[in-house]
Amino acid sequence: MMSKLEALLAERRPLVMGVVNVTPDSFSDGGRYLKVDAAVKRALSMVEEKVDIVDVGGESTRPGAEPVSEETELKRVVPVIQKIREESEVCISVDTSTPEVMRQAALVGCDVINDVRSLTREGALGAAAESGLAVCLMHMKGEPSHMQNNPTYENLIDEIRDFFRERISACDHAGIKRKQLLIDPGFGFGKTALHNLELVNRLRHFKSFGLPILIGVSRKSTIKKILGGNNDNLKIASVAAALIASLNGADVLRVHDVTETVAALRVAQSIVEESIF
């Protein structure tokens, strides 16, 4: 029997992952959904907007962010996932690097582990393997607290590909099957603005792994820089970036603006396939 994520990916269209940050300090919507009811309400509104995956996170990973305690993250995340699952069958992802959060999220109905640290925290590989859930491995150079301190690469794409080879091998040794994995090259995580643009342009270089590619470009600082610091058009600019990423091979787009992204992707798919859905 296919998992929820496998069934969605089998539809052969770009999927939309909607962001619900249960944090006081995330870069875009920090504090808006800190209370359980507000977070659940936002998640359910995304379901009405035709989101494919709801991504719930309790630790900000914006540049400069510090880690939170396991207890804090559990209190933020688990009740939200539990309540969403009670109200909806939507695919739910937990944005965490913490092993116990992975375990508890799995117990209340989570479907995917989305880990910016690619299961490198002590115990994370084991917890993910025990859960049986799908896992997204993301590339990040350094930690959020210092990742944007002059990130440098000799060859951006090759170094990220080497990283994925190592993490995929680690997952294999831990008993996590390849079909459970997604990869995210980490737009905005230890990269300059020019690095980020290169990532989006060269997403197909990561297709050689034969794994679904997830990317999050929504409202990132690179988009703001392109706009010259004017945030008035940040929504449409983020949708444009997501659309280009999808045309360059992204299978899952992690976004804040679900309605607009769903509409843009639908139009793009209709034009590419010359079909009205």
Side-chain angles (χ1 to χ4, degrees), residues 4-13 15 182 212 251-252:
K4 282 190 179 72
L5 182 61
E6 285 178 294
L8 287 168
L9 290 167
E11 295 181 17
R12 303 289 182 182
R13 60 177 176 83
L15 304 180
L182 303 85
D251 300 284
V252 185

Side-chain angles (χ1 to χ4, degrees), residues 156-157 185 187 193-207 213 215 217 226 240-241 243-250:
L156 177 71
I157 303 301
F187 185 105
L194 292 179
H195 289 147
N196 291 327
L197 301 183
E198 183 179 350
L199 276 186
V200 175
N201 259 342
R202 292 164 177 74
L203 274 182
R204 293 195 182 277
H205 287 254
F206 302 106
K207 286 290 185 181
I213 298 172
I215 194 166
V217 299
I226 294 170
L243 185 59
I244 292 170
S246 75
L247 294 173
N248 284 346

Side-chain angles (χ1 to χ4, degrees), residues 13-128:
R13 60 177 176 83
L15 304 180
V16 175
M17 172 186 276
V19 180
V20 179
N21 288 316
V22 193
T23 61
D25 56 345
S26 290
F27 75 92
S28 179
D29 54 4
R32 292 184 65 185
Y33 310 119
L34 189 55
K35 293 185 178 180
V36 172
D37 288 347
V40 173
K41 183 178 179 180
R42 176 57 184 141
L44 296 178
S45 72
M46 287 181 176
V47 174
E48 293 179 1
E49 295 168 12
K50 307 300 183 185
V51 79
D52 296 296
I53 307 163
V54 173
D55 190 45
V56 181
E59 176 190 8
S60 174
T61 51
R62 60 174 174 76
E66 296 292 340
V68 300
S69 70
E70 178 185 287
E71 181 182 8
T72 297
E73 198 179 347
L74 284 167
K75 286 180 178 179
R76 289 176 179 175
V77 166
V78 175
V80 173
I81 293 174
Q82 185 170 16
K83 193 73 179 294
I84 294 170
R85 178 53 69 232
E86 290 171 359
E87 300 287 336
S88 173
E89 288 300 309
V90 70
C91 185
I92 303 173
S93 169
V94 61
D95 182 357
T96 187
S97 303
T98 306
E100 190 58 25
V101 176
M102 297 174 189
R103 293 189 185 93
Q104 295 301 319
L107 290 175
V108 296
C110 188
D111 303 287
V112 182
I113 295 166
N114 181 20
D115 185 2
V116 300
R117 297 176 179 85
S118 288
L119 306 181
T120 56
R121 275 189 177 166
E122 185 176 354
L125 273 168

Side-chain angles (χ1 to χ4, degrees), residues 27 60-63 95 116 138-144 147-148 151 153 184-192 196 199 216 220 254:
F27 75 92
S60 174
T61 51
R62 60 174 174 76
D95 182 357
V116 300
M138 196 196 80
H139 176 272
M140 173 170 60
K141 189 162 190 171
E143 284 285 323
M147 64 185 178
Q148 292 306 111
Y153 299 83
D184 178 349
F187 185 105
F189 286 80
K191 283 99 178 168
T192 66
N196 291 327
L199 276 186
K220 295 282 180 74
R254 186 177 184 273

